[in-house]
Amino acid sequence: MAQANLRYFGLPPSPPLIGARLRPPQGTRPALQELLEALGTSEYNAGPDQRPSAGFFRNPSLPIRRVTSTLTPPAVQVAATRDAYGVALAELGKDNPEIIVLDADLSGSTRTKTFAQAFPKRFFNMGVAESNMMGTAAGLAAMGKVVFASSFAMFAAGKAWEPIRQTVCIPNLNVKICATHAGLTVGEDGKSHQMLEDLALMQVLPNMTVIVPADSIEAKLAIRAVAAHDGPVYVRLSRAKTPVIFDEDYVFKIGRGTQVRAGNDLALVACGVELSAALEAAEILAAEGVNARVINMATIKPLDKDILVAAARDCGAVLTAEEHQAIGGLGSAVSQLLAHHAPVPIEVVGVRDSFGESATADQLLEKYGLDAQSIASRSRDLLRRKNA
Amino acid sequence: MTLTPKKQQEIEAVARQIRVDIVEMVHAAACGHPGGPLGMADFMATLWVEHMGIEPGNLHDPKRDRFVLGNGHTCAGLYAVLAHKGIIPREMLKSFRKLGSPLQGHPHKNPELGIDMSTGSLGTGLSTAQGMALAAKINGWPTRVYVTSSDGESEEGQIWEAATSAAHYGLANLTVLVDFNNIQIDGVMREVMDVRDLREKYAAFGWHAIDVDGHDIAAIDAALCAAREETARPSALICHTTIGKGVSFMEGKASWHGVAPNDAEAQEALAELSV
Ligand SMILES: Cc1ncc(C[n+]2csc(CCOP(=O)(O)OP(=O)(O)O)c2C)c(N)n1
């Protein structure tokens, strides 16, 4: 079972992390610094839809800073996973001449523009035509290319679902769908743009691998792993800048969950932006004497059975948290697996059968019960059920 | 019928007010899409003042006209025009894109506010408008259905599926107004993904298709009159516009597709619009 090195998380850990070094933010080391600088100085950071959000957490005790090019010791680094995607793509373009990138008129927002500028001959803007983009990606892949196709999650996974099924998944082609602007944290654009069903739509497809990076470090590593992986992959990325959680020593492996906090009272299993919320919830619970194990489940499919079964056996209760419908995402996948292999009380934190709306990312996470306080309160419910 | 000078002035004043409202709304929200709707203000004003049969008094009449904003990101302009019509309270404009507001970042269907269809995902508007037009035809109602689209949206395949079927079913009660500003998010449309001559394309699909200067109110009015007189085919008005029209520093710039003006920029824009 892997135990991650946590780079930083807001409050002091309690109990101490087993086998993990919790480094103060000043300990930023060159590799991480390089990535953060690349992100912070990326010209797209000033792009049209990049007005900085005030902060990601509601908890005012957690100071949030934007990533800037000058890394004077910040309290918490924040960066968007889509930014890491752009940086990773541009690096991969150097390593592998077979990589082709497609976008559908959102290259500034998805960050594929980084690749487009470095490798203009291997970038194709397909216009506002997502279904056509996926079919084209499949054809390129059938000719031996490694294709990254990007749009907002809503349009990549939603609009182009059937072409993905028919032309990418059935022939099992090497297409990497890297979709940004997933979930409620899209914010003010509202429900038409807040994709809360993509994990359901993607994990149900045979041959598809589904990955949700929790921070920019993991996103960058995941993109490298995805490029090396043979077959269709869906990677879910975020618009919002979220806390950097992992250390640059972190090792990402497709299909492997990672324990990021030790504890045996209950297990919080989270993916994407909810990992930060789960870690914060664990600190809230720790102050009440409850020791929560926190697991980052970056790969939704295939699920890491070992880490989940161990968590269920050790803790006797599992809460899942995702920025997605409570139906059909991480919670459904984990529930199904544990129902077979280690049945325990389960609490699924997600959006409860509703669409989103226009507001700031923070307001929406709170309103739809995806913030740390909500996870802590649902954890208390779960513990009552466990102990009943 | 030609517009009287008085009517023309009235429409011009409404277009100006729409532009002021757009700038104020997007500025207050600190996000949103000012460029597109500024360019559409002249044809939106002409359509809603002179042709659209949607009024506070007939909002719940099933036989009234319908409107679908296919390029849903330009909704600041729709909300402004609905406020001008007295269908939505002016006060509400300030809540645009904020938590709890009915004025969502992309239109959400709301029968009380004259918002006839939810949009935001490009490519869907023309199909839904076609469905409305078909229902009106089945029922033998005098309802006209107006829908907006754009050059960027014309890259979606579904637009051409709808163009095929609307002509096939002879939906003369359907009119699309295409905001053709040669700009999409990633830049100049001709460079990103050229949709070429949309009038020729719609004509080839069997539509009554007209090129029109999207800032010439008399020309827009004449084209809308021609659309109403057409009895066999759906009509497409290819409205040639300038993104950001009326605010000099936004005009022609893709960068103003989806970013809000800051305080100084908003002030400058409002000063230009009030002359
Ligand atoms: C299906 C779909 N794909 C992508 C988007 C994101 N998007 C919103 S507006 C836009 C460009 C549209 O071009 P156009 O309407 O011509 O832009 P404008 O002239 O208003 O700047 C895109 C790609 C979307 N809303 N829907």
Side-chain angles (χ1 to χ4, degrees):
Chain A
M1 187 191 301
Q3 170 82 50
N5 291 332
L6 278 187
R7 182 168 174 276
Y8 178 79
F9 190 74
L11 303 164
S14 157
L17 292 158
I18 299 163
R21 289 162 295 143
L22 192 80
R23 233 181 254 122
Q26 291 88 339
T28 306
R29 296 202 316 205
L32 173 63
Q33 181 141 356
E34 224 171 79
L35 170 63
L36 292 173
E37 274 178 358
L39 299 177
T41 55
S42 152
E43 63 181 285
Y44 307 112
N45 269 7
D49 52 356
Q50 261 267 281
R51 294 284 155 126
S53 92
F56 192 71
F57 288 120
R58 286 206 64 263
N59 185 345
S61 68
L62 284 175
I64 303 291
R65 283 228 197 143
R66 281 213 302 147
V67 176
T68 58
S69 51
T70 48
L71 288 179
T72 41
V76 176
Q77 294 282 8
V78 295
T81 52
R82 63 169 167 156
D83 288 325
Y85 171 50
V87 171
L89 260 192
E91 284 179 14
L92 282 166
K94 278 183 232 148
D95 304 346
N96 185 352
E98 294 302 319
I99 289 180
I100 304 285
V101 176
L102 306 182
D103 203 296
D105 193 31
L106 289 167
S107 68
S109 298
T110 64
R111 306 303 192 233
T112 60
K113 203 169 193 168
T114 321
F115 182 93
Q117 293 192 327
F119 309 100
K121 291 207 171 79
R122 287 193 274 144
F123 173 82
F124 297 88
N125 200 325
M126 302 304 293
V128 196
E130 298 78 9
S131 295
N132 181 45
M133 174 172 74
M134 291 307 171
T136 308
L140 284 161
M143 300 294 279
K145 301 295 180 191
V146 178
V147 189
F148 283 77
S150 286
S151 178
F152 289 174
M154 189 70 243
F155 312 123
K159 200 116 179 154
W161 186 82
E162 200 278 340
I164 291 171
R165 181 181 187 274
Q166 175 64 40
T167 66
V168 175
C169 288
I170 289 181
N172 198 16
L173 288 166
N174 219 0
V175 174
K176 321 303 179 189
I177 300 159
C178 295
T180 66
H181 293 61
L184 292 173
T185 48
V186 161
E188 291 85 349
D189 271 351
K191 64 194 86 182
S192 62
H193 284 55
Q194 289 162 353
M195 184 35 135
L196 296 169
E197 298 86 20
D198 52 339
L199 299 181
L201 291 171
M202 291 295 128
Q203 70 171 330
V204 76
L205 289 171
N207 291 334
M208 184 65 95
T209 294
V210 181
I211 297 172
V212 189
D215 76 350
S216 55
I217 302 288
E218 184 170 58
K220 192 177 169 214
L221 295 170
I223 296 301
R224 293 203 79 89
V226 159
H229 173 90
D230 194 28
V233 183
Y234 179 76
V235 185
R236 183 189 221 227
L237 302 162
S238 302
R239 169 186 190 240
K241 294 193 172 192
T242 57
V244 177
I245 295 165
F246 290 104
D247 190 279
E248 73 273 21
D249 298 338
Y250 173 62
V251 178
F252 174 85
K253 202 160 167 284
I254 294 174
R256 197 177 72 182
T258 314
Q259 180 174 314
V260 293
R261 188 183 191 286
N264 281 331
D265 292 336
L266 82 165
L268 308 180
V269 178
C271 65
V273 303
E274 286 301 289
L275 182 62
S276 306
L279 280 163
E280 193 186 352
E283 299 306 331
I284 296 168
L285 293 167
E288 300 165 12
V290 172
N291 290 324
R293 177 178 301 188
V294 179
I295 291 168
N296 175 39
M297 196 55 72
T299 310
I300 309 297
K301 187 190 178 188
L303 262 189
D304 184 342
K305 179 180 154 195
D306 293 347
I307 201 170
L308 288 170
V309 169
R313 297 222 167 105
D314 296 347
C315 304
V318 173
L319 177 146
T320 63
E322 65 203 294
E323 192 195 6
H324 185 270
Q325 299 288 356
I327 299 171
L330 172 69
S332 289
V334 170
S335 301
Q336 192 170 357
L337 184 136
L338 291 181
H340 283 293
H341 299 287
V344 291
I346 294 177
E347 193 78 13
V348 175
V349 172
V351 175
R352 299 193 216 188
D353 204 19
S354 83
F355 294 111
E357 64 187 293
S358 295
T360 66
D362 295 326
Q363 286 171 330
L364 293 170
L365 290 177
E366 186 192 359
K367 175 166 178 181
Y368 289 83
L370 300 185
D371 61 340
Q373 291 295 348
S374 301
I375 293 175
S377 129
R378 300 279 296 275
S379 297
R380 291 178 205 113
D381 295 345
L382 178 61
L383 285 169
R384 276 191 287 276
R385 281 167 56 206
K386 174 189 167 183
N387 298 325
Chain B
M1 243 201 330
T2 47
L3 285 177
T4 61
K6 196 164 159 265
K7 202 58 168 181
Q8 166 122 8
Q9 278 167 11
E10 183 194 333
I11 294 170
E12 280 166 10
V14 172
R16 194 158 43 243
Q17 184 60 47
I18 291 172
R19 290 190 165 99
V20 167
D21 289 340
I22 290 166
V23 170
E24 286 182 343
M25 288 168 76
V26 175
H27 174 243
C31 60
H33 303 81
L38 284 170
M40 293 161 70
D42 295 315
F43 72 70
M44 284 289 275
T46 313
L47 173 68
W48 281 81
V49 170
E50 208 37 28
H51 296 271
M52 183 72 72
I54 304 180
E55 307 288 341
N58 72 358
L59 218 47
H60 299 289
D61 175 359
K63 295 184 183 176
R64 69 160 169 83
D65 288 352
R66 298 292 196 284
F67 180 80
V68 177
L69 190 76
N71 46 347
H73 60 279
T74 63
C75 57
L78 173 61
Y79 301 151
V81 92
L82 287 166
H84 163 75
K85 282 285 209 172
I87 295 170
I88 69 176
R90 285 207 73 78
E91 267 305 288
M92 199 183 268
L93 296 183
K94 295 194 186 108
S95 70
F96 178 48
R97 289 184 152 247
K98 302 216 168 98
L99 183 67
S101 172
L103 305 185
Q104 293 283 296
H106 292 78
H108 178 57
K109 186 175 184 300
N110 188 330
E112 302 307 316
L113 300 181
I115 302 171
D116 292 332
M117 185 49 73
S118 296
T119 54
S121 174
L122 295 168
T124 60
L126 193 57
S127 297
T128 57
Q130 161 180 246
M132 293 172 177
L134 190 56
K137 191 174 170 175
I138 293 165
N139 292 351
W141 290 351
T143 311
R144 293 201 59 83
V145 183
Y146 293 95
V147 52
T148 59
S149 182
S150 61
D151 46 357
E153 194 189 24
S154 305
E155 292 165 2
E156 283 287 355
Q158 191 178 340
I159 289 293
W160 302 104
E161 296 173 25
T164 305
S165 51
H168 181 79
Y169 289 112
L171 299 176
N173 55 350
L174 177 66
T175 300
V176 62
L177 295 97
V178 183
D179 178 39
F180 198 121
N181 60 16
N182 194 22
I183 291 291
Q184 56 186 109
I185 292 187
D186 275 347
V188 174
M189 185 272 302
R190 300 281 186 212
E191 291 163 13
V192 176
M193 183 55 62
D194 193 350
V195 299
R196 299 173 189 259
D197 190 322
L198 286 183
R199 194 205 60 77
E200 278 183 10
K201 273 177 142 171
Y202 271 99
F205 275 74
W207 287 54
H208 166 223
I210 314 169
D211 275 316
V212 54
D213 176 346
H215 301 302
D216 179 340
I217 284 164
I220 298 161
D221 178 68
L224 284 166
C225 288
R228 284 163 77 156
E229 278 153 26
E230 168 65 43
T231 54
R233 301 168 294 171
S235 294
L237 273 54
I238 313 304
C239 304
H240 296 269
T241 61
T242 301
I243 191 172
K245 181 77 178 177
V247 178
S248 57
F249 60 90
M250 293 188 185
E251 285 186 6
K253 296 215 177 80
S255 54
W256 285 102
H257 163 91
V259 67
N262 62 28
D263 293 347
E265 289 161 342
Q267 231 173 19
E268 197 182 330
L270 292 171
E272 277 189 34
L273 290 168
S274 60
V275 257

